Amino acid sequence: MKKPFVSKEKLMEIVKKIPTPFHLYDEKGIRENAKAVKEAFSWNPGFREYFAVKANPNPTLIKILKEYDCGCDCSSMTELMLSDAMGFSGEKIMFSSNVTPAGEYEMAEKVGAIINLDDINHIDFLEKIIGYIPKKISCRYNPGGLFKISNDIMDTPGNAKYGMTMEQLFDAFRILKSKGAMEFGLHAFLASNTITNKYYPMLAELLFELAVKLQKKTGIHVSFINLSGGVGIPYRPDQKANDIRAIGADVRQIYDKILRVAGMGDVSIYTEMGRFMMGPYGCLVTTAIHEKHIYKEYIGCDACAVNLLRPAMYGSYHHITVMGKEEAICDHKYDITGSLCENNDKFAIDRMLPKIDIGDFLVIHDTGAHGFSMGYNYNGKLWSAEVLLKEEGSYEMIRRPETPKDYFATLEFTPEYRKMFG
């Protein structure tokens, strides 16, 4: 059974000042996890976790990770700007994008980010835009086909738009070297949200062997290998959480077996985790405001898919706790819905839960990554607040809720309408 990191009493205290819905984050959990990740890879002197900003672009939360020497993994102009504003610069920023506009490469160059090229054709494009090829640069690899662990298909890299083929990768490194690059990195992302300690070690083996092959065939020495993300979290209560320390130890064994034996024991290991770093340490707090009894039983909440898109977009499972009824029997079957004019606006379908009464607080678990960040304004719905539950028990609003004035701010109004909307 999943337990919320916040009590009903604390929620009642918070909602007196900050009405639902809001995303709530657990500072204690974030810090403990960041420390565990750092310790898990401490055997590698050059290790760095580059937090995937797209997972949760809140400066207060990212600054917590910065205390554990994390960098930022960015994929857009505004993510680069945000990272720069928080004091990240140079090699503390990794820029991994695709279909990249010229202005974003210009910004990446301005802040000194390590650029991770998604496509061989971007070499000439990058050189034309910024006027040179950076001394330190990375390329993204896509092995194609299926990615399996044992007999289980984890994902289908061959259907993904990201990365280069092996032939393109080798050609890309040769071209980059001829244009002045001196430090090279390898990057690959083969599967999303894997609930197994085997994923990173298998990916590491693939990339370590590729790095050795690259050096033998081209003379190019890879100085860092980026395992990217893909280490998942247990959204369902019956799933077992990944053990990051066990994962780090297994990657170390493969590193020693392949890279050290090949005389490449100086290679730095990078990761780019978003979901694992932040996912379990956030929840969406919402209030049951309506009930409906037709062909099914519905509970309507003051949150909707604009606050948490994953269930509507992917059919993803997010556990739900009815606060104050954690020990009650789950003998009622509900669809838990929001108010959008879309029938997929549901946080749960046919979910067995305790009897829900109007006014009950529902905690929707594991929204710390790809929760608030995937929000949008459909139906004119406004973005919710974000709140940090601090280690000592106090709380702080770290993003205010959006207002109608914010929503209308980008419209060019005539004087008549400007009066109407402020």
Side-chain angles (χ1 to χ4, degrees), residues 53-319:
V53 175
K54 60 181 166 286
N56 193 320
N58 189 291
T60 300
L61 303 179
I62 296 174
K63 284 181 179 179
I64 293 174
L65 298 181
K66 189 179 182 183
E67 294 179 33
Y68 299 86
D69 198 37
C70 292
C72 288
D73 167 52
C74 301
S75 57
S76 71
M77 174 75 79
T78 49
E79 289 179 0
L80 287 166
M81 293 171 68
L82 181 67
S83 301
D84 181 52
M86 288 187 291
F88 294 90
S89 62
E91 296 191 359
K92 290 290 185 76
I93 303 176
M94 182 75 63
F95 183 55
S96 298
S97 64
N98 67 96
V99 196
T100 308
E104 296 189 357
Y105 276 138
E106 290 174 338
M107 178 60 71
E109 189 272 341
K110 180 180 177 181
V111 301
I114 300 171
I115 293 174
N116 182 35
L117 292 174
D118 181 70
D119 182 64
I120 190 171
N121 295 313
H122 280 225
I123 297 174
D124 289 340
F125 182 71
L126 174 64
E127 186 177 32
K128 180 180 178 181
I129 295 304
I130 68 173
Y132 66 98
I133 291 297
K135 297 295 184 185
K136 186 171 185 175
I137 197 163
S138 177
C139 290
R140 186 168 184 170
Y141 173 54
N142 183 334
L146 304 176
F147 180 73
K148 295 182 178 181
I149 296 179
S150 298
N151 292 322
D152 296 327
I153 297 174
M154 305 303 292
D155 222 321
T156 54
N159 291 334
K161 65 175 181 175
Y162 311 109
M164 308 180 199
T165 67
M166 184 179 293
E167 182 180 359
Q168 289 174 337
L169 187 77
F170 277 53
D171 286 344
F173 279 120
R174 291 187 184 100
I175 295 168
L176 289 167
K177 184 178 181 181
S178 73
K179 291 179 178 290
M182 300 178 68
E183 289 188 70
F184 303 90
L186 275 175
H187 174 287
F189 179 88
L190 302 188
S192 179
N193 194 42
T194 60
I195 309 297
T196 170
N197 292 339
K198 296 180 180 179
Y199 171 64
Y200 255 9
M202 288 188 68
L203 174 60
E205 185 171 22
L206 183 152
L207 290 178
F208 295 170
E209 289 177 346
L210 182 58
V212 173
K213 185 176 181 181
L214 184 68
Q215 180 161 293
K216 288 180 178 178
K217 287 200 169 187
T218 68
I220 289 171
H221 178 69
V222 171
S223 62
F224 64 92
I225 292 176
N226 191 333
L227 301 178
S228 66
V231 179
I233 62 173
Y235 285 101
R236 295 180 178 272
D238 59 343
Q239 292 177 317
K240 185 178 179 181
N242 287 326
D243 183 342
I244 196 64
R245 287 186 172 86
I247 291 171
D250 287 349
V251 171
R252 181 179 188 174
Q253 285 189 348
I254 295 167
Y255 184 100
D256 291 343
K257 182 179 72 173
I258 298 174
L259 292 180
R260 286 198 191 281
V261 168
M264 297 173 65
D266 60 337
V267 176
S268 296
I269 300 300
Y270 297 160
T271 57
E272 288 175 358
M273 295 181 285
R275 195 188 314 265
F276 184 82
M277 297 301 293
M278 203 71 74
Y281 313 110
C283 64
L284 175 60
V285 181
T286 182
T287 303
I289 59 173
H290 289 291
E291 57 183 332
K292 186 171 185 177
H293 315 283
I294 49 173
Y295 307 105
K296 301 180 77 173
E297 296 294 300
Y298 295 94
I299 294 294
C301 301
D302 60 1
C304 59
V306 304
N307 306 110
L308 178 62
L309 182 58
R310 295 186 73 253
M313 177 177 277
Y314 303 119
S316 304
Y317 180 96
H318 281 263
H319 199 65

Side-chain angles (χ1 to χ4, degrees), residues 7-8 14 46 49 68 113 162 179 193 210 220 235 299 310 315 333 353 373 385 402 406 408 411:
S7 67
K8 181 181 179 181
I14 296 173
E49 156 61 20
Y68 299 86
Y162 311 109
K179 291 179 178 290
N193 194 42
L210 182 58
I220 289 171
Y235 285 101
I299 294 294
R310 295 186 73 253
K333 184 187 291 186
L353 293 165
S373 65
E402 192 178 32
D406 297 319
F408 294 121
L411 294 173

